Amino acid sequence: MMTDRPSGALAAPATTGRGSGLLLGWCRRNPSATASQQVLLYALLLIILLLSVLPSLRLLWQALQGWQQGLDAPFIRMLRSAATWTALEHSLYTSLLGTALALLLGGLFALILTLTDVRGRSLWVFLFMLPMMIPPQVTALSWLQLSGPASPLLNTLGIAPPLGSPQPLYSAEGVALLLGIQHAPLVFLALRTHLLAIPRELIEAARLSGAHQRRVLWDILLPLCRGGLWTGAAIAFVSCLGNFGIPAMLGIPASYYVLPTLIYQKMASFGADMLSDVASLSVLIGVVALTGVALQNRIQRQQALPLLGMAGRALDFQLGRWRPWTELALALILLLILLLPLLALITSSLVPALGVPLNWHSLTFAAYQEMLSHQGATLRALGNSLLLSTVAALLLMLISLPLAYLLARRQSPLIHWLHAAIDVPYALPGVVLAIACILLFARPLPWLNISLYGSLGIILVAYLARFLAVSLKPVHSSMLQLDPALEEAAQLAGAGLLQRLFSIVLPLLAPSAFAGCLLVFLTAVNELTVSALLWSAGNETLGVLIFNLDESGDAVLASAVAVMIVALVAALMTVLNLLGRYLPQGVIPWQR
C-alpha cells in the first residue's frame, strides 16, 4: 500500500515435502548446481545491503556523532529537549487514538463482509479499500474541503458555519480521525485473512450442536482471531506513527507537531546541528516503530493457534430481516468516510475560490485548465511521479523474481537474515528512510563521482528500499505454492539454474510478479512521506505538489490535482480487480 505503510514482517519461508527433499539431496550430490545459486545469492545480498542496511547504519552513525561529549552530545541534547517529548507525546496520542478508530472500522467491516450474507460483497470491499490507496495528503485535503466555513460544498448546501468559525480538523482529534480512516483497511485485511483461515469444521460442529450465530461469533471466531486483531492494530499503529501527510496538513497550521512534522521543521531550519538533530529524532521514531513491530510479532507468536481442516466459511451468517439495515449502515459509513469528502474535493475544484457556493454561475473548469495547460509544475510532477513509479516497479519486479526463488528454495541463517532485512525499510516510518538516504548520498558516490542528492535518483533509491517488501510478497507467496518436482525433473534432465528459472519458474510467477509491479506503482505514484524531504526544485512529485499548493494557499488548484490523483488510483485498482480472476488467490490483497 499498498502500502501506505505501512507494515508487517513477511512470513518466514518454509520448504517442505518430498519434492524439496529430493531437490536438496540432488543439489548436495551436484555441487555445481549450487554454485550458480551462491552467485545469485551474494548478488542479491549486495543489493539488499545497499538498499536496507547501509542507510540505517549511516543514520545511526550520524545520530551517535559526538557521543564523547557526554550530556552535550547531540543525541542526548535532543532527548533533553522539551519539544522532542512533546512531539513524542503527540505522536503516541494521535497514533493510539487513530489505531482505536481503525480497529473499530476495520474490524466491523471485516466481520460483516467476511461472515455475513450481505449482497455486493466485492463492491463493498473495493470501496472500503480505496481510502488506503488514496494519498494521505489527498485525504486531509478532501476533509478540509468538507468542513469549516470555507467549504464550497457546505456553502452550496447552505449549512456552512459562519465565517470566522474555527476549522475543527486543525486539532489532535482531527489528525487522529483521519489517521484512523486512512489505516482502517490495514486492520480489515489482517482480520479478514484470519477469518478466512478458520476451518469450516469448527463452525459446522458448533451449528450442529445448536449454537446460535452470536455464540459462534463470540465463543469461536473472535477468540481464534485475536492474532489478526493484534496484527492489524500493530500495523495500523506503526503506519499512523510514520504518517506525514495528515499531521502536516492538519497539525502544522495549529502548531501541533508530531515527530515526523518536527523532523520536517528541523530540516527547514538549516542550523549547524541540523543533521545530527534530525538523525537523532529519526532514530527515536524508528525505535518506537520497531518496538511496535517486535511487540506485534511476540503477541502473534503467543496467540498463534495451529488449525487443521479446510479453511473458509461453512455458511454465511444469515442476517434475515437485518440484511437491508446492515447494508444501509455500510453505505452510510462509506458515504461519510469516502464519498462526501470526495464530493467536497470535486466541488472545491469547480469553483473560482474557497467559500464560493457551486452553481451554474460559479461553475468553472479554470483549475483543470491551469493544471493541464499553464501550470508547468503539475505536468512536471506528473511526469516525475510516473517515471519514478514505473522504473521502481519494473526494477523491483526484476529483483523480486530471483529473490523469491532463493527465499523459498534455500534454508540458512543468511537467508533468514536477508528476509528480515528486506522488511526494515518498510517497517520504518518513511521520514526515517528519507533522512537515512540524505545522509548516505549527501556526498558524491565514491569512485563514480556522481551525486544523487537533489536529483530524482535519490528518490528512486528510497522507493526501491521502501517498496521491495510490497513487490516481493505476492511473488514469494506464489513461489511457495510451486511444486519443486517440476524443477527436480528439469535438473535431472541437465537444465542449469538460469534455464530452469527462465523456462519453468518465471512463466509460472509472471502473473504474481505483474500484480506486485502494479501494487508498487499504485503505492509509489502518490507517495509523499519519503519524497517530502528528498525533492528539489524541478524534481517534485504529485504528493509533494499537492502539499506545496495547499501550503501556498492555492487550495482550488490543489483540489483539481487531487481529483486527478483519485481518478488515477481508482482506475489502477479497477485494473487490478479485473486481473484478479487470472491471478493466484491472495495476490490481490482485497480479493482474498
PDB file of all heavy atoms in Angstrom, residues 138-174:
ATOM      1  N   VAL A 138      -4.155  13.830   0.184  1.00  0.00           N
ATOM      2  CA  VAL A 138      -5.429  13.992  -0.522  1.00  0.00           C
ATOM      3  C   VAL A 138      -6.591  13.759   0.444  1.00  0.00           C
ATOM      4  O   VAL A 138      -7.599  14.476   0.408  1.00  0.00           O
ATOM      5  CB  VAL A 138      -5.501  13.026  -1.723  1.00  0.00           C
ATOM      6  CG1 VAL A 138      -6.880  13.074  -2.369  1.00  0.00           C
ATOM      7  CG2 VAL A 138      -4.432  13.376  -2.757  1.00  0.00           C
ATOM      8  N   THR A 139      -6.449  12.758   1.297  1.00  0.00           N
ATOM      9  CA  THR A 139      -7.468  12.518   2.323  1.00  0.00           C
ATOM     10  C   THR A 139      -7.642  13.748   3.198  1.00  0.00           C
ATOM     11  O   THR A 139      -8.776  14.187   3.465  1.00  0.00           O
ATOM     12  CB  THR A 139      -7.077  11.309   3.188  1.00  0.00           C
ATOM     13  OG1 THR A 139      -6.970  10.145   2.375  1.00  0.00           O
ATOM     14  CG2 THR A 139      -8.110  11.066   4.278  1.00  0.00           C
ATOM     15  N   ALA A 140      -6.520  14.317   3.666  1.00  0.00           N
ATOM     16  CA  ALA A 140      -6.597  15.505   4.516  1.00  0.00           C
ATOM     17  C   ALA A 140      -7.230  16.671   3.770  1.00  0.00           C
ATOM     18  O   ALA A 140      -8.084  17.390   4.315  1.00  0.00           O
ATOM     19  CB  ALA A 140      -5.202  15.873   5.011  1.00  0.00           C
ATOM     20  N   LEU A 141      -6.832  16.879   2.513  1.00  0.00           N
ATOM     21  CA  LEU A 141      -7.371  17.996   1.734  1.00  0.00           C
ATOM     22  C   LEU A 141      -8.867  17.835   1.506  1.00  0.00           C
ATOM     23  O   LEU A 141      -9.624  18.812   1.613  1.00  0.00           O
ATOM     24  CB  LEU A 141      -6.633  18.087   0.397  1.00  0.00           C
ATOM     25  CG  LEU A 141      -7.029  19.243  -0.518  1.00  0.00           C
ATOM     26  CD1 LEU A 141      -6.705  20.572   0.145  1.00  0.00           C
ATOM     27  CD2 LEU A 141      -6.312  19.132  -1.864  1.00  0.00           C
ATOM     28  N   SER A 142      -9.318  16.617   1.209  1.00  0.00           N
ATOM     29  CA  SER A 142     -10.747  16.404   0.957  1.00  0.00           C
ATOM     30  C   SER A 142     -11.578  16.681   2.206  1.00  0.00           C
ATOM     31  O   SER A 142     -12.665  17.268   2.122  1.00  0.00           O
ATOM     32  CB  SER A 142     -10.986  14.978   0.455  1.00  0.00           C
ATOM     33  OG  SER A 142     -10.633  14.030   1.440  1.00  0.00           O
ATOM     34  N   TRP A 143     -11.072  16.282   3.374  1.00  0.00           N
ATOM     35  CA  TRP A 143     -11.810  16.545   4.615  1.00  0.00           C
ATOM     36  C   TRP A 143     -11.783  18.028   4.974  1.00  0.00           C
ATOM     37  O   TRP A 143     -12.755  18.546   5.546  1.00  0.00           O
ATOM     38  CB  TRP A 143     -11.252  15.699   5.745  1.00  0.00           C
ATOM     39  CG  TRP A 143     -11.786  14.297   5.726  1.00  0.00           C
ATOM     40  CD1 TRP A 143     -11.370  13.260   4.945  1.00  0.00           C
ATOM     41  CD2 TRP A 143     -12.872  13.793   6.515  1.00  0.00           C
ATOM     42  NE1 TRP A 143     -12.122  12.138   5.195  1.00  0.00           N
ATOM     43  CE2 TRP A 143     -13.047  12.431   6.158  1.00  0.00           C
ATOM     44  CE3 TRP A 143     -13.702  14.330   7.485  1.00  0.00           C
ATOM     45  CZ2 TRP A 143     -14.015  11.621   6.751  1.00  0.00           C
ATOM     46  CZ3 TRP A 143     -14.669  13.527   8.079  1.00  0.00           C
ATOM     47  CH2 TRP A 143     -14.822  12.186   7.698  1.00  0.00           C
ATOM     48  N   LEU A 144     -10.673  18.700   4.686  1.00  0.00           N
ATOM     49  CA  LEU A 144     -10.632  20.134   4.929  1.00  0.00           C
ATOM     50  C   LEU A 144     -11.645  20.866   4.056  1.00  0.00           C
ATOM     51  O   LEU A 144     -12.242  21.865   4.483  1.00  0.00           O
ATOM     52  CB  LEU A 144      -9.226  20.675   4.648  1.00  0.00           C
ATOM     53  CG  LEU A 144      -8.143  20.325   5.678  1.00  0.00           C
ATOM     54  CD1 LEU A 144      -6.778  20.781   5.192  1.00  0.00           C
ATOM     55  CD2 LEU A 144      -8.464  20.948   7.032  1.00  0.00           C
ATOM     56  N   GLN A 145     -11.853  20.370   2.824  1.00  0.00           N
ATOM     57  CA  GLN A 145     -12.838  20.982   1.937  1.00  0.00           C
ATOM     58  C   GLN A 145     -14.266  20.626   2.342  1.00  0.00           C
ATOM     59  O   GLN A 145     -15.213  21.291   1.909  1.00  0.00           O
ATOM     60  CB  GLN A 145     -12.612  20.545   0.481  1.00  0.00           C
ATOM     61  CG  GLN A 145     -11.204  20.703  -0.037  1.00  0.00           C
ATOM     62  CD  GLN A 145     -10.729  22.137  -0.079  1.00  0.00           C
ATOM     63  OE1 GLN A 145     -11.340  23.014   0.489  1.00  0.00           O
ATOM     64  NE2 GLN A 145      -9.606  22.365  -0.729  1.00  0.00           N
ATOM     65  N   LEU A 146     -14.404  19.582   3.166  1.00  0.00           N
ATOM     66  CA  LEU A 146     -15.740  19.159   3.598  1.00  0.00           C
ATOM     67  C   LEU A 146     -16.211  19.929   4.826  1.00  0.00           C
ATOM     68  O   LEU A 146     -17.414  20.091   5.034  1.00  0.00           O
ATOM     69  CB  LEU A 146     -15.729  17.656   3.898  1.00  0.00           C
ATOM     70  CG  LEU A 146     -17.022  17.024   4.425  1.00  0.00           C
ATOM     71  CD1 LEU A 146     -18.146  17.160   3.399  1.00  0.00           C
ATOM     72  CD2 LEU A 146     -16.807  15.563   4.771  1.00  0.00           C
ATOM     73  N   SER A 147     -15.276  20.388   5.655  1.00  0.00           N
ATOM     74  CA  SER A 147     -15.652  21.027   6.915  1.00  0.00           C
ATOM     75  C   SER A 147     -15.146  22.456   6.951  1.00  0.00           C
ATOM     76  O   SER A 147     -14.312  22.865   6.135  1.00  0.00           O
ATOM     77  CB  SER A 147     -15.070  20.234   8.099  1.00  0.00           C
ATOM     78  OG  SER A 147     -13.660  20.173   8.011  1.00  0.00           O
ATOM     79  N   GLY A 148     -15.646  23.219   7.893  1.00  0.00           N
ATOM     80  CA  GLY A 148     -15.192  24.584   8.059  1.00  0.00           C
ATOM     81  C   GLY A 148     -16.031  25.587   7.288  1.00  0.00           C
ATOM     82  O   GLY A 148     -16.795  25.240   6.378  1.00  0.00           O
ATOM     83  N   PRO A 149     -15.897  26.844   7.612  1.00  0.00           N
ATOM     84  CA  PRO A 149     -16.740  27.878   6.979  1.00  0.00           C
ATOM     85  C   PRO A 149     -16.429  28.115   5.507  1.00  0.00           C
ATOM     86  O   PRO A 149     -17.275  28.654   4.787  1.00  0.00           O
ATOM     87  CB  PRO A 149     -16.417  29.132   7.810  1.00  0.00           C
ATOM     88  CG  PRO A 149     -15.065  28.879   8.404  1.00  0.00           C
ATOM     89  CD  PRO A 149     -15.002  27.398   8.644  1.00  0.00           C
ATOM     90  N   ALA A 150     -15.241  27.735   5.030  1.00  0.00           N
ATOM     91  CA  ALA A 150     -14.881  27.977   3.625  1.00  0.00           C
ATOM     92  C   ALA A 150     -15.246  26.820   2.713  1.00  0.00           C
ATOM     93  O   ALA A 150     -14.953  26.877   1.514  1.00  0.00           O
ATOM     94  CB  ALA A 150     -13.381  28.260   3.512  1.00  0.00           C
ATOM     95  N   SER A 151     -15.896  25.778   3.217  1.00  0.00           N
ATOM     96  CA  SER A 151     -16.222  24.605   2.412  1.00  0.00           C
ATOM     97  C   SER A 151     -17.200  24.961   1.295  1.00  0.00           C
ATOM     98  O   SER A 151     -18.332  25.378   1.569  1.00  0.00           O
ATOM     99  CB  SER A 151     -16.830  23.513   3.299  1.00  0.00           C
ATOM    100  OG  SER A 151     -17.394  22.490   2.498  1.00  0.00           O
ATOM    101  N   PRO A 152     -16.808  24.822   0.021  1.00  0.00           N
ATOM    102  CA  PRO A 152     -17.760  25.101  -1.072  1.00  0.00           C
ATOM    103  C   PRO A 152     -18.981  24.185  -1.017  1.00  0.00           C
ATOM    104  O   PRO A 152     -20.095  24.623  -1.369  1.00  0.00           O
ATOM    105  CB  PRO A 152     -16.910  24.855  -2.325  1.00  0.00           C
ATOM    106  CG  PRO A 152     -15.497  25.071  -1.893  1.00  0.00           C
ATOM    107  CD  PRO A 152     -15.451  24.549  -0.486  1.00  0.00           C
ATOM    108  N   LEU A 153     -18.784  22.922  -0.612  1.00  0.00           N
ATOM    109  CA  LEU A 153     -19.919  22.007  -0.570  1.00  0.00           C
ATOM    110  C   LEU A 153     -20.925  22.455   0.486  1.00  0.00           C
ATOM    111  O   LEU A 153     -22.141  22.491   0.222  1.00  0.00           O
ATOM    112  CB  LEU A 153     -19.435  20.583  -0.275  1.00  0.00           C
ATOM    113  CG  LEU A 153     -20.522  19.513  -0.168  1.00  0.00           C
ATOM    114  CD1 LEU A 153     -21.280  19.385  -1.480  1.00  0.00           C
ATOM    115  CD2 LEU A 153     -19.925  18.168   0.225  1.00  0.00           C
ATOM    116  N   LEU A 154     -20.453  22.794   1.694  1.00  0.00           N
ATOM    117  CA  LEU A 154     -21.371  23.243   2.744  1.00  0.00           C
ATOM    118  C   LEU A 154     -22.018  24.571   2.373  1.00  0.00           C
ATOM    119  O   LEU A 154     -23.194  24.801   2.695  1.00  0.00           O
ATOM    120  CB  LEU A 154     -20.619  23.367   4.072  1.00  0.00           C
ATOM    121  CG  LEU A 154     -20.041  22.074   4.655  1.00  0.00           C
ATOM    122  CD1 LEU A 154     -19.422  22.329   6.019  1.00  0.00           C
ATOM    123  CD2 LEU A 154     -21.105  20.985   4.751  1.00  0.00           C
ATOM    124  N   ASN A 155     -21.278  25.451   1.705  1.00  0.00           N
ATOM    125  CA  ASN A 155     -21.880  26.712   1.262  1.00  0.00           C
ATOM    126  C   ASN A 155     -22.912  26.473   0.178  1.00  0.00           C
ATOM    127  O   ASN A 155     -23.933  27.174   0.111  1.00  0.00           O
ATOM    128  CB  ASN A 155     -20.782  27.648   0.743  1.00  0.00           C
ATOM    129  CG  ASN A 155     -20.065  28.380   1.862  1.00  0.00           C
ATOM    130  OD1 ASN A 155     -20.565  29.367   2.395  1.00  0.00           O
ATOM    131  ND2 ASN A 155     -18.894  27.884   2.236  1.00  0.00           N
ATOM    132  N   THR A 156     -22.674  25.482  -0.676  1.00  0.00           N
ATOM    133  CA  THR A 156     -23.663  25.145  -1.714  1.00  0.00           C
ATOM    134  C   THR A 156     -24.948  24.638  -1.078  1.00  0.00           C
ATOM    135  O   THR A 156     -26.057  24.975  -1.536  1.00  0.00           O
ATOM    136  CB  THR A 156     -23.083  24.083  -2.660  1.00  0.00           C
ATOM    137  OG1 THR A 156     -21.897  24.596  -3.286  1.00  0.00           O
ATOM    138  CG2 THR A 156     -24.087  23.707  -3.734  1.00  0.00           C
ATOM    139  N   LEU A 157     -24.805  23.833  -0.022  1.00  0.00           N
ATOM    140  CA  LEU A 157     -25.979  23.285   0.663  1.00  0.00           C
ATOM    141  C   LEU A 157     -26.580  24.264   1.661  1.00  0.00           C
ATOM    142  O   LEU A 157     -27.650  23.995   2.213  1.00  0.00           O
ATOM    143  CB  LEU A 157     -25.590  21.988   1.389  1.00  0.00           C
ATOM    144  CG  LEU A 157     -25.076  20.847   0.497  1.00  0.00           C
ATOM    145  CD1 LEU A 157     -24.631  19.664   1.346  1.00  0.00           C
ATOM    146  CD2 LEU A 157     -26.163  20.414  -0.490  1.00  0.00           C
ATOM    147  N   GLY A 158     -25.888  25.380   1.910  1.00  0.00           N
ATOM    148  CA  GLY A 158     -26.398  26.384   2.835  1.00  0.00           C
ATOM    149  C   GLY A 158     -26.268  26.007   4.290  1.00  0.00           C
ATOM    150  O   GLY A 158     -27.014  26.533   5.128  1.00  0.00           O
ATOM    151  N   ILE A 159     -25.350  25.122   4.632  1.00  0.00           N
ATOM    152  CA  ILE A 159     -25.205  24.679   6.028  1.00  0.00           C
ATOM    153  C   ILE A 159     -23.792  24.950   6.547  1.00  0.00           C
ATOM    154  O   ILE A 159     -23.381  24.372   7.551  1.00  0.00           O
ATOM    155  CB  ILE A 159     -25.521  23.179   6.165  1.00  0.00           C
ATOM    156  CG1 ILE A 159     -24.643  22.346   5.224  1.00  0.00           C
ATOM    157  CG2 ILE A 159     -26.994  22.905   5.901  1.00  0.00           C
ATOM    158  CD1 ILE A 159     -24.827  20.836   5.392  1.00  0.00           C
ATOM    159  N   ALA A 160     -23.054  25.827   5.883  1.00  0.00           N
ATOM    160  CA  ALA A 160     -21.692  26.133   6.329  1.00  0.00           C
ATOM    161  C   ALA A 160     -21.736  26.932   7.624  1.00  0.00           C
ATOM    162  O   ALA A 160     -22.623  27.775   7.827  1.00  0.00           O
ATOM    163  CB  ALA A 160     -20.946  26.917   5.252  1.00  0.00           C
ATOM    164  N   PRO A 161     -20.818  26.693   8.538  1.00  0.00           N
ATOM    165  CA  PRO A 161     -20.750  27.504   9.760  1.00  0.00           C
ATOM    166  C   PRO A 161     -20.402  28.940   9.413  1.00  0.00           C
ATOM    167  O   PRO A 161     -19.870  29.229   8.343  1.00  0.00           O
ATOM    168  CB  PRO A 161     -19.640  26.824  10.575  1.00  0.00           C
ATOM    169  CG  PRO A 161     -18.829  26.059   9.588  1.00  0.00           C
ATOM    170  CD  PRO A 161     -19.767  25.655   8.507  1.00  0.00           C
ATOM    171  N   PRO A 162     -20.700  29.876  10.312  1.00  0.00           N
ATOM    172  CA  PRO A 162     -20.433  31.294  10.000  1.00  0.00           C
ATOM    173  C   PRO A 162     -18.950  31.563   9.815  1.00  0.00           C
ATOM    174  O   PRO A 162     -18.093  30.859  10.346  1.00  0.00           O
ATOM    175  CB  PRO A 162     -20.991  32.030  11.223  1.00  0.00           C
ATOM    176  CG  PRO A 162     -21.044  31.005  12.310  1.00  0.00           C
ATOM    177  CD  PRO A 162     -21.311  29.703  11.626  1.00  0.00           C
ATOM    178  N   LEU A 163     -18.651  32.601   9.022  1.00  0.00           N
ATOM    179  CA  LEU A 163     -17.270  32.991   8.782  1.00  0.00           C
ATOM    180  C   LEU A 163     -16.579  33.316  10.104  1.00  0.00           C
ATOM    181  O   LEU A 163     -17.175  33.939  10.995  1.00  0.00           O
ATOM    182  CB  LEU A 163     -17.208  34.192   7.843  1.00  0.00           C
ATOM    183  CG  LEU A 163     -17.665  33.948   6.394  1.00  0.00           C
ATOM    184  CD1 LEU A 163     -17.633  35.254   5.602  1.00  0.00           C
ATOM    185  CD2 LEU A 163     -16.779  32.906   5.728  1.00  0.00           C
ATOM    186  N   GLY A 164     -15.340  32.914  10.199  1.00  0.00           N
ATOM    187  CA  GLY A 164     -14.591  33.119  11.436  1.00  0.00           C
ATOM    188  C   GLY A 164     -14.643  31.936  12.370  1.00  0.00           C
ATOM    189  O   GLY A 164     -13.909  31.910  13.370  1.00  0.00           O
ATOM    190  N   SER A 165     -15.499  30.956  12.065  1.00  0.00           N
ATOM    191  CA  SER A 165     -15.561  29.756  12.906  1.00  0.00           C
ATOM    192  C   SER A 165     -14.266  28.960  12.732  1.00  0.00           C
ATOM    193  O   SER A 165     -13.684  28.919  11.648  1.00  0.00           O
ATOM    194  CB  SER A 165     -16.758  28.885  12.510  1.00  0.00           C
ATOM    195  OG  SER A 165     -17.965  29.599  12.657  1.00  0.00           O
ATOM    196  N   PRO A 166     -13.813  28.314  13.788  1.00  0.00           N
ATOM    197  CA  PRO A 166     -12.554  27.546  13.679  1.00  0.00           C
ATOM    198  C   PRO A 166     -12.737  26.302  12.817  1.00  0.00           C
ATOM    199  O   PRO A 166     -13.845  25.749  12.728  1.00  0.00           O
ATOM    200  CB  PRO A 166     -12.230  27.184  15.135  1.00  0.00           C
ATOM    201  CG  PRO A 166     -13.561  27.201  15.829  1.00  0.00           C
ATOM    202  CD  PRO A 166     -14.372  28.265  15.147  1.00  0.00           C
ATOM    203  N   GLN A 167     -11.648  25.876  12.183  1.00  0.00           N
ATOM    204  CA  GLN A 167     -11.649  24.624  11.427  1.00  0.00           C
ATOM    205  C   GLN A 167     -11.488  23.474  12.430  1.00  0.00           C
ATOM    206  O   GLN A 167     -10.445  23.342  13.067  1.00  0.00           O
ATOM    207  CB  GLN A 167     -10.508  24.639  10.422  1.00  0.00           C
ATOM    208  CG  GLN A 167     -10.201  23.312   9.745  1.00  0.00           C
ATOM    209  CD  GLN A 167     -11.369  22.713   8.986  1.00  0.00           C
ATOM    210  OE1 GLN A 167     -12.059  21.846   9.511  1.00  0.00           O
ATOM    211  NE2 GLN A 167     -11.581  23.193   7.769  1.00  0.00           N
ATOM    212  N   PRO A 168     -12.512  22.633  12.596  1.00  0.00           N
ATOM    213  CA  PRO A 168     -12.454  21.604  13.648  1.00  0.00           C
ATOM    214  C   PRO A 168     -11.366  20.555  13.428  1.00  0.00           C
ATOM    215  O   PRO A 168     -10.945  19.901  14.381  1.00  0.00           O
ATOM    216  CB  PRO A 168     -13.849  20.975  13.612  1.00  0.00           C
ATOM    217  CG  PRO A 168     -14.370  21.260  12.238  1.00  0.00           C
ATOM    218  CD  PRO A 168     -13.784  22.573  11.852  1.00  0.00           C
ATOM    219  N   LEU A 169     -10.913  20.400  12.198  1.00  0.00           N
ATOM    220  CA  LEU A 169      -9.917  19.360  11.934  1.00  0.00           C
ATOM    221  C   LEU A 169      -8.507  19.804  12.309  1.00  0.00           C
ATOM    222  O   LEU A 169      -7.597  18.963  12.374  1.00  0.00           O
ATOM    223  CB  LEU A 169      -9.947  18.975  10.452  1.00  0.00           C
ATOM    224  CG  LEU A 169     -11.220  18.254   9.993  1.00  0.00           C
ATOM    225  CD1 LEU A 169     -11.157  17.979   8.495  1.00  0.00           C
ATOM    226  CD2 LEU A 169     -11.420  16.950  10.759  1.00  0.00           C
ATOM    227  N   TYR A 170      -8.296  21.096  12.553  1.00  0.00           N
ATOM    228  CA  TYR A 170      -6.988  21.564  12.994  1.00  0.00           C
ATOM    229  C   TYR A 170      -6.828  21.272  14.489  1.00  0.00           C
ATOM    230  O   TYR A 170      -6.811  22.179  15.325  1.00  0.00           O
ATOM    231  CB  TYR A 170      -6.834  23.061  12.724  1.00  0.00           C
ATOM    232  CG  TYR A 170      -6.662  23.416  11.271  1.00  0.00           C
ATOM    233  CD1 TYR A 170      -7.039  24.678  10.806  1.00  0.00           C
ATOM    234  CD2 TYR A 170      -6.119  22.529  10.360  1.00  0.00           C
ATOM    235  CE1 TYR A 170      -6.882  25.022   9.463  1.00  0.00           C
ATOM    236  CE2 TYR A 170      -5.960  22.858   9.019  1.00  0.00           C
ATOM    237  CZ  TYR A 170      -6.342  24.102   8.588  1.00  0.00           C
ATOM    238  OH  TYR A 170      -6.186  24.428   7.252  1.00  0.00           O
ATOM    239  N   SER A 171      -6.698  20.003  14.817  1.00  0.00           N
ATOM    240  CA  SER A 171      -6.615  19.592  16.216  1.00  0.00           C
ATOM    241  C   SER A 171      -6.048  18.187  16.285  1.00  0.00           C
ATOM    242  O   SER A 171      -5.941  17.486  15.264  1.00  0.00           O
ATOM    243  CB  SER A 171      -8.002  19.621  16.874  1.00  0.00           C
ATOM    244  OG  SER A 171      -8.875  18.686  16.232  1.00  0.00           O
ATOM    245  N   ALA A 172      -5.689  17.763  17.481  1.00  0.00           N
ATOM    246  CA  ALA A 172      -5.169  16.405  17.670  1.00  0.00           C
ATOM    247  C   ALA A 172      -6.226  15.374  17.300  1.00  0.00           C
ATOM    248  O   ALA A 172      -5.923  14.348  16.668  1.00  0.00           O
ATOM    249  CB  ALA A 172      -4.724  16.218  19.122  1.00  0.00           C
ATOM    250  N   GLU A 173      -7.472  15.635  17.691  1.00  0.00           N
ATOM    251  CA  GLU A 173      -8.539  14.683  17.391  1.00  0.00           C
ATOM    252  C   GLU A 173      -8.831  14.638  15.893  1.00  0.00           C
ATOM    253  O   GLU A 173      -9.185  13.576  15.355  1.00  0.00           O
ATOM    254  CB  GLU A 173      -9.816  15.059  18.162  1.00  0.00           C
ATOM    255  CG  GLU A 173      -9.738  14.826  19.653  1.00  0.00           C
ATOM    256  CD  GLU A 173      -8.806  15.806  20.370  1.00  0.00           C
ATOM    257  OE1 GLU A 173      -8.615  16.934  19.829  1.00  0.00           O
ATOM    258  OE2 GLU A 173      -8.265  15.458  21.422  1.00  0.00           O
ATOM    259  N   GLY A 174      -8.694  15.777  15.207  1.00  0.00           N
ATOM    260  CA  GLY A 174      -8.862  15.776  13.755  1.00  0.00           C
ATOM    261  C   GLY A 174      -7.799  14.943  13.070  1.00  0.00           C
ATOM    262  O   GLY A 174      -8.089  14.179  12.140  1.00  0.00           O
TER     263      GLY A 174
END
